[in-house]
Amino acid sequence: MVRPPTPAKRPYAPRMAPAERREQLLDAALEIINRDGVAAVSVDAVAKAAGVTRPVVYGQFTDADHLLRALLEREGERAQAQMAATLPGDLNGADPVEVFTGVARGYYDAVVTAPGRWRAILLPVDGTPPAVRKYKERSDALIREQFARAVRWFLRDAADAAADVDVELLIRLLLAALEEGGRLVLDDPDHYPPERLTAMARFLVETLLHRYPSTARRPPAASAPGRDGSPRRASRSAST
């Protein structure tokens, strides 16, 4: 009697330390997002992409939403690290046009350098699961507040700016323009290179600040917001 062939056993995934396994699974999820979109991320899909079983994924994440939140946190932290180098440590005596132009150029260069990361970050909010959407909204609110502090700092001596400028709305529109530029450079980098997008960002800031000559470069003041938006005192050499 001929016995039926024994089914081949699925090879076991190589053993990894928990932290290393977590990174592997997050990398697999990021690859899926860039290839098929966020809706394609599931425990099954991540397990298949990583070459592991479902229990291995569940050993690190409770469900797909948990995995996506962890991915967004990781990529968000790495994105912030990319952007940190574009911000001056102290705004005392800084030229606002140069500051915001530098931020824009740094942002677009970061997008080009790590497109997979920024595709995940720049996903339309409506296309993400509720838990992930809430996290992204909180993160965006923090970024808006940091930018708002910097704008208020540069406009602090423009007496009519307080009445003319809706800083909250201005920041929303500027950040929306930056994000749209990020999507453009991801979708068509040849037609929308960082240089073109940066030039437009500079034009927008120059147009705004042209109305308030007092925002031009000035001697250092008593304090200015640092990179995290918190007040910073001028150095001794700057105040003497």
Side-chain angles (χ1 to χ4, degrees):
M1 180 177 178
V2 179
R3 295 182 178 180
T6 302
K9 292 184 179 180
R10 181 174 182 175
Y12 289 102
R15 290 186 178 276
M16 290 184 181
E20 187 179 1
R21 178 68 74 191
R22 180 183 176 86
E23 291 299 300
Q24 179 202 28
L25 298 176
L26 291 176
D27 288 343
L30 184 61
E31 180 182 344
I32 292 170
I33 288 175
N34 278 274
R35 186 182 64 239
D36 303 319
V38 68
V41 176
S42 66
V43 171
D44 284 337
V46 171
K48 182 178 180 181
V52 300
T53 61
R54 286 166 50 95
V56 172
V57 180
Y58 281 122
Q60 294 285 340
F61 305 101
T62 56
D63 54 23
D65 278 7
H66 181 198
L67 195 155
L68 284 169
R69 288 198 308 274
L71 177 63
L72 190 58
E73 289 175 2
R74 186 189 77 170
E75 298 305 314
E77 289 175 356
R78 292 179 178 180
Q80 289 175 9
Q82 281 186 293
M83 294 300 297
T86 71
L87 296 170
D90 195 331
L91 295 179
N92 278 304
D95 183 328
V97 172
E98 296 302 327
V99 169
F100 286 106
T101 300
V103 169
R105 181 57 198 246
Y107 167 69
Y108 295 126
D109 284 345
V111 172
V112 170
T113 301
R117 171 176 306 142
W118 288 93
R119 283 194 184 93
I121 292 172
L122 294 175
L123 287 171
V125 172
D126 292 341
T128 58
V132 178
R133 183 163 62 248
K134 289 180 180 178
Y135 174 85
K136 189 174 189 303
E137 288 171 350
R138 289 195 301 270
S139 177
D140 289 348
L142 178 61
I143 293 172
R144 287 195 300 271
E145 180 56 29
Q146 292 172 342
F147 268 77
R149 288 192 185 111
V151 170
R152 292 190 182 100
W153 167 259
F154 284 124
L155 295 177
R156 69 193 185 282
D157 291 338
D160 52 346
D164 290 348
V165 181
D166 184 334
V167 173
E168 179 188 357
L169 182 57
L170 172 64
I171 294 304
R172 282 185 174 272
L173 294 176
L174 286 177
L175 290 180
L178 281 176
E179 286 198 354
E180 179 59 21
R183 296 186 186 97
L184 290 174
V185 75
L186 284 172
D187 292 340
D188 193 350
D190 292 332
H191 192 60
Y192 299 103
E195 295 81 5
R196 182 181 180 186
L197 295 166
T198 302
M200 176 53 66
R202 186 182 186 92
F203 169 78
L204 292 175
V205 176
E206 285 181 331
T207 301
L208 166 69
L209 297 181
H210 177 73
R211 183 169 180 174
Y212 306 104
S214 59
T215 59
R217 185 192 298 273
R218 291 163 297 194
S223 63
R227 287 179 179 171
D228 62 353
S230 60
R232 292 187 57 173
R233 295 192 178 277
S235 65
R236 180 178 299 273
S237 61
S239 60
T240 56

